[in-house]
Amino acid sequence: MFGYRVPAPDEAMLISGGRRGLGGAPFRVVTGHGKFVLPVFRKVRFLTLSMCEAEVTETCVTRQGIALHVRAVIAFKVGNDHESIINAGQRFLSDQEQMSVLTGRIFAGHLRAIIGSMTVEEIVTERQKLAAEVLGTSKTEMAKIGLTVDSLQIQSIDDGDTGYIDAMSAPHKAAIQRQAQIAQAQATQAAAQAQQAAAREQAEYARQTAVVKAEYSAEVDRAQAKAAQAGPLAQADAQQEVLAAQTELALRQAKLRQQQLVAEIVKPAEAEAERVRILAAAEAQRMKIQAEAAASYDRVALDRLLIDQLPQIVKEAAGGLAGANVNVLNGADGLGEIAAGLVSQGLTILDSVRQNLNGHDSDGRRSAESEDGGLLQLAARKEQKPKDGRVDVD
């Protein structure tokens, strides 16, 4: 639109003519918005608010008297407030390139002053301290000309041919080299150990692989052998089952035959033996009964015979006394006593025979011998004659 001007975001629009600006400034400052400007009556100029850069390369002498070549870079701009814009506009509006030149000169002076109060060791090891002190001392002067410093970077410090910095850094270089060598040796050792470990792992892997292959091969061989033996084993198992069945059948047949033999031979034989035993027992019992009956009959017959023969025995005994020299002391009574003694002796012989028969029922011959012995004893007594011519009858 005609007469309406708008500054860029990084610019400040300075309008001169008409009313004065803030604080009696010869122009008005407009930032961030547009404004109507009457042509011919007003004049518009623009001041950059963007970042500017200034380089400083200066030879400075330290507190130790050692000359150092210092190179620094300063980043600065015009301040955003109206006072800084007015100060910068009054100084650099016609030639804004002078801001970098003037800034470099200001910082070069402060840099020489700060480095002159420090040692080389402090400058080299404490660059941030050096930059902070330079910024602190230059801040007031930069504010007067409407500029603000964003940063100061010390890019390089060189002592030229003196070799002071190199000598100062030699121990550190040696230590660093030593550490580097140690690190290299450790790295080499670690690499060798890693290689050895890798070789061991490879050997172990190869061994495990060989073992697994051998196991697989053995398993395959066993499977093949098992498969090859499956037919014969199956046939052998079948034959074994057939033999087992045949054996079981033979055992059953043998058991059945045994049962048949028991039923056909043993049982009838046992029955026949039992019958014979029973018959034999019955016969033995019958014979025993007959023997007992016969023995009893024999005893009765013998008693009867002895009784029948007793008078004859007494008679024979009396006949034996006829030829003996008998002294009768008491006459008829004495003869009576002799006769009574003979009868008594005959009865005693009869009782003895009966006792022998009762004590030896199972042996008839023994009884007969006992009887014969009694008879012989009696005959012996009859034949015995006393030396004195007397006969004693017991």
Side-chain angles (χ1 to χ4, degrees):
M1 182 179 293
F2 180 77
Y4 191 79
R5 306 295 295 274
V6 179
D10 59 349
E11 289 180 340
M13 185 171 64
L14 306 179
I15 302 172
S16 59
R19 293 183 303 172
R20 290 182 174 272
L22 183 63
F27 48 81
R28 287 181 292 171
V29 178
V30 179
T31 56
H33 60 87
K35 197 169 184 64
F36 286 101
V37 178
L38 294 175
V40 181
F41 298 100
R42 304 285 188 270
K43 188 175 181 178
V44 177
R45 301 287 296 274
F46 294 94
L47 179 65
T48 181
L49 300 178
S50 61
M51 181 69 65
C52 299
E53 180 181 312
E55 291 187 2
V56 176
T57 302
E58 192 70 24
T59 301
C60 306
V61 179
T62 65
R63 189 175 63 185
Q64 299 161 318
I66 298 173
L68 298 177
H69 301 286
V70 181
R71 183 173 178 271
V73 177
I74 303 99
F76 67 95
K77 65 183 291 294
V78 177
N80 293 327
D81 59 290
H82 284 193
E83 183 178 0
S84 296
I85 294 173
I86 291 171
N87 291 333
Q90 289 177 343
R91 291 171 175 79
F92 306 110
L93 186 59
S94 59
D95 189 3
Q96 297 185 24
E97 296 294 334
Q98 290 295 319
M99 287 189 294
S100 298
V101 177
L102 183 59
T103 300
R105 291 175 181 175
I106 292 172
F107 272 89
H110 288 289
L111 190 62
R112 284 194 301 270
I114 298 301
I115 289 176
S117 63
M118 299 176 67
T119 63
V120 178
E121 288 78 7
E122 292 175 346
I123 295 169
V124 171
T125 58
E126 299 179 4
R127 291 189 180 187
Q128 192 64 31
K129 178 181 177 182
L130 173 62
E133 290 184 0
V134 172
L135 285 175
T137 56
S138 62
K139 184 176 181 180
T140 303
E141 293 184 12
M142 295 294 289
K144 289 180 180 180
I145 59 177
L147 301 178
T148 59
V149 179
D150 289 338
S151 67
L152 170 63
Q153 296 293 331
I154 307 298
Q155 291 186 338
S156 64
I157 299 173
D158 185 12
D159 61 353
D161 297 333
T162 58
Y164 187 88
I165 296 177
D166 292 337
M168 183 180 64
S169 62
H172 300 285
K173 287 182 179 180
I176 292 172
Q177 289 178 356
R178 183 172 60 255
Q179 292 177 358
Q181 292 175 356
I182 293 172
Q184 182 64 33
Q186 292 177 351
T188 303
Q189 183 179 2
Q193 292 177 353
Q195 290 177 356
Q196 292 176 358
R200 286 195 298 269
E201 291 179 358
Q202 290 178 356
E204 180 66 19
Y205 179 76
R207 186 187 66 81
Q208 293 179 358
T209 303
V211 170
V212 172
K213 287 182 178 179
E215 291 178 354
Y216 286 163
S217 178
E219 186 175 357
V220 171
D221 293 340
R222 286 194 298 269
Q224 291 178 352
K226 187 175 180 181
Q229 294 175 357
L233 288 176
Q235 185 177 1
D237 292 339
Q239 292 179 356
Q240 186 175 2
E241 291 178 359
V242 171
L243 291 175
Q246 292 177 352
T247 303
E248 185 177 359
L249 179 60
L251 290 175
R252 290 181 180 178
Q253 290 178 352
K255 187 175 182 180
L256 180 60
R257 181 59 182 165
Q258 182 180 4
Q259 293 176 356
Q260 291 177 353
L261 291 174
V262 169
E264 293 176 357
I265 298 175
V266 176
K267 293 298 183 180
E270 290 179 352
E272 181 65 19
E274 184 66 19
R275 186 182 68 81
V276 172
R277 186 184 64 79
I278 293 172
L279 291 176
E283 182 66 19
Q285 186 67 24
R286 184 183 65 81
M287 293 176 68
K288 181 179 179 182
I289 293 172
Q290 290 179 355
E292 290 177 352
S296 177
Y297 176 77
D298 291 340
R299 286 195 298 271
V300 172
L302 181 60
D303 291 342
R304 186 175 297 174
L305 179 61
L306 290 174
I307 292 171
D308 293 340
Q309 295 295 327
L310 183 60
Q312 185 65 26
I313 293 170
V314 173
K315 183 179 179 180
E316 292 293 331
L321 293 175
N325 186 13
V326 177
N327 293 322
V328 179
L329 300 178
N330 53 358
D333 293 332
L335 291 174
E337 290 178 0
I338 293 171
L342 291 174
V343 173
S344 177
Q345 189 173 6
L347 292 175
T348 301
I349 293 170
L350 180 59
D351 291 336
S352 176
V353 171
R354 285 178 178 176
Q355 291 177 1
N356 289 331
L357 289 176
N358 291 330
H360 300 86
D361 292 336
S362 61
D363 194 355
R365 290 180 298 177
R366 186 173 180 181
S367 299
E369 289 177 358
S370 298
E371 293 175 358
D372 294 341
L375 293 176
L376 292 174
Q377 185 178 6
L378 179 60
R381 286 181 179 179
K382 289 193 301 181
E383 293 179 356
Q384 184 178 4
K385 295 179 179 181
K387 295 180 180 181
D388 55 2
R390 290 179 303 175
V391 177
D392 297 331
V393 179
D394 294 332

